[in-house]
Amino acid sequence: MNRKPATWPLDRRTFLQGAAVLAGTALLSHRLGSSATAAEPLSEVFSLPPLPYAEDALAPHISSDTVRFHYGKHHKGYIDKLNQAIQGTSFVGLPLPEIIKQSAGRNEFRGIFNNAAQVWNHTFYWQSLKPKSGPPEDRMAQKIVTQFGGIEPFKKEFAAAAGNQFGSGWAWLAQSGDGSLSIVTTANAENPLTRDLIPLFTLDVWEHAYYLDYQNRRGDYLTACLDHLINWEFAAANLIR
Ligand code: MN
């Protein structure tokens, strides 16, 4: 089966196909399995998409050491485990959001769900950040003001929610179908896709995201990201209304 590789960064249409409809183009490019031979059916596997910036581009707020391990070991590890887990199953060849949707909440597919969702979450996380970001503009800024009373109250509320997420997980700014924004936290690999919410940006609050740079000070990591690294253009491009 031929599948058009998604480009990096994801364009708005590709993202919406994935997030809103949970269908459409795979978020990660596929390539043919290197072990496939003419005698075997061809298998498709996921590969690690390139980072949208250099490993040291987020420093000093997130160090190149953190990015190198987080991207090169953790993110890649989820991809490798996902490829192993789906081998020989009916999930082979499905777009990533479809794998997430079909495995969510099903105990027998927990390993597949965890790795598929972590692959998706990390790809989304790298795009949610950018070096030397500015404040949100125009439509996005107006929505933040309307929903949270301003950018500073928003950042405070987001940091509090993300800081209070017990254990490993993620914090998200998300949009509902009615257009309203909300701050959502999810545990472990969970994400808003399975809650009919549109993610706008995310911050990873697993310890591996910040421990090398901040040790136990999750709040300092969150503040640094919110003040310096949020890719508001990406968040705005994800708005559905
Ligand atoms: Mn992570």
Side-chain angles (χ1 to χ4, degrees), residues 197-216:
L197 290 170
I198 306 303
L200 303 182
F201 78 77
T202 191
L203 290 180
D204 189 339
V205 295
W206 285 59
E207 285 187 346
H208 65 229
Y210 60 86
Y211 219 82
L212 286 178
D213 299 327
Y214 298 93
Q215 293 78 51
N216 60 320

